[in-house]
Amino acid sequence: MSGTGTLKWDAHLDDMSMQPNIFKCIDKLVTSTVGKSTNVLWHDCPIGQFERQELLNQKGCVVWITGLSGSGKSTLACALSRELHSRGHLTYILDGDNLRHGLNRDLCFEAKDRAENIRRVGEVAKLFADAGLICIASLISPYRSERSACRKLLHNSTFIEVFLNVPLEVCEARDPKGLYKLARAGKIKGFTGIDDPYEAPSDCEIVIQCKAGDCATPKSMADQVVSYLEANEFLQE
Ligand SMILES: Nc1ncnc2c1ncn2[C@@H]1O[C@H](COP(=O)(O)OS(=O)(=O)O)[C@@H](OP(=O)(O)O)[C@H]1O
Ligand SMILES: Nc1ncnc2c1ncn2[C@@H]1O[C@H](COP(=O)(O)OP(=O)(O)O)[C@@H](O)[C@H]1O
């Protein structure tokens, strides 16, 4: 099997006696190659995203929060999750820091690993949205191309990109984990905003501005996102 995404016909499966039971119900098994996986078959089931959304009274989507370290992504994600939960909606947070303790513990902060980190989180977020959840992803996710690839995983308009536009000096002044201090001292190499790039979104659904000494509260930021979700009919009250 070669190529990716090519639909191939396995001649040996023409011989029904060769086919294990699972294939008996399928007249002709058309296998596909996806990435490195060969002979894989997509199975659809009667209960799909539509049925799950009906059950949950909401529209599955991904709220993708991007911004520098210390910009308030995790705080906003929690405030948003709390607000939606109080309204009876089911959410789930995918936090970059947290996922690096498990799913992505094998990844570092080199560009290729950050790209893989964002790819994986995008795929998991897609599954949660398909489950009918409001999935809140909070990662630095510094690269436009990777964020755009995540957007393409979700069918139209169910990827809501939120840019926490907080200046580096505000984030550095906060520095709750002391990482900016370590980065400035050269003890951490390739720290976003110091000696690693951050590509601000050029066209996202929501921009939350914050200036030195003039930052809205996490609750009011969360309310801004909830208003967007309501206006775009993600929340069937
Ligand atoms: N080199 C470097 N650059 C940036 N951030 C670093 C680095 N090393 C560790 N950390 C901590 O990891 C958190 C960012 O993880 P993410 O998965 O969100 O990053 S990324 O999307 O893969 O760029 C980030 O957490 P947050 O502060 O919550 O953003 C940092 O605390
Ligand atoms: N809207 C806000 N106003 C003031 N401080 C905030 C706000 N949001 C977050 N913070 C503070 O900024 C620091 C970093 O927040 P955090 O959510 O950990 O950011 P990130 O997840 O982007 O690294 C924390 O000390 C947090 O209390």
Side-chain angles (χ1 to χ4, degrees):
M1 302 290 289
S2 62
T4 55
T6 50
L7 289 182
K8 292 278 185 188
W9 187 290
D10 284 339
H12 78 278
L13 292 174
D14 278 337
D15 171 358
M16 290 297 279
S17 64
M18 285 281 286
Q19 294 183 9
N21 283 336
I22 182 174
F23 299 134
K24 293 275 190 281
C25 62
I26 299 171
D27 292 343
K28 293 288 179 199
L29 176 67
V30 177
T31 61
S32 66
T33 299
V34 180
K36 294 180 182 172
S37 300
T38 55
N39 298 310
V40 289
L41 184 77
W42 183 272
H43 286 266
D44 272 325
C45 292
I47 300 299
Q49 185 185 40
F50 177 80
E51 290 75 18
R52 292 186 283 268
Q53 292 179 152
E54 288 286 288
L55 202 64
L56 294 169
N57 257 337
Q58 61 190 43
K59 192 174 165 189
C61 62
V62 175
V63 177
W64 190 282
I65 305 171
T66 175
L68 292 173
S69 175
S71 56
K73 300 183 298 295
S74 303
T75 303
L76 173 57
C78 291
L80 178 59
S81 175
R82 186 168 47 242
E83 180 58 28
L84 289 168
H85 187 82
S86 71
R87 293 164 176 243
H89 291 290
L90 192 58
T91 67
Y92 195 81
I93 295 174
L94 297 174
D95 185 282
D97 247 328
N98 294 359
L99 291 171
R100 284 176 174 274
H101 288 75
L103 176 66
N104 296 329
R105 65 169 173 268
D106 59 323
L107 301 175
C108 67
F109 289 89
E110 289 170 20
K112 66 176 176 52
D113 276 14
R114 290 186 199 244
E116 172 62 9
N117 181 42
I118 296 155
R119 185 195 69 80
R120 290 184 195 174
V121 178
E123 289 287 355
V124 173
K126 176 185 176 182
L127 293 175
F128 282 166
D130 185 55
L133 273 67
I134 296 169
C135 177
I136 305 166
S138 59
L139 299 87
I140 293 177
S141 48
Y143 311 128
R144 274 194 207 105
S145 58
E146 268 64 36
R147 296 194 303 260
S148 165
C150 290
R151 179 182 291 272
K152 291 191 180 91
L153 288 174
L154 279 291
H155 56 78
N156 56 341
S157 77
T158 56
F159 182 89
I160 298 119
E161 189 174 9
V162 180
F163 173 33
L164 256 177
N165 188 5
V166 182
L168 176 63
E169 58 270 19
V170 173
C171 298
E172 193 163 357
R174 290 171 172 173
D175 201 10
K177 304 170 195 166
L179 297 180
Y180 279 103
K181 189 174 176 197
L182 291 173
R184 287 291 184 198
K187 293 191 168 61
I188 298 179
K189 300 292 184 208
F191 194 80
T192 305
I194 303 296
D195 56 344
D196 219 70
Y198 177 80
E199 298 168 355
S202 49
D203 177 20
C204 60
E205 283 71 18
I206 301 171
V207 179
I208 296 179
Q209 301 282 6
C210 181
K211 293 186 176 54
D214 176 17
C215 222
T217 64
K219 170 77 168 64
S220 58
M221 290 180 175
D223 289 344
Q224 191 178 336
V225 180
V226 172
S227 299
Y228 178 93
L229 294 174
E230 280 175 328
N232 290 275
E233 298 177 348
F234 285 97
L235 310 176
Q236 290 139 21
E237 302 294 352

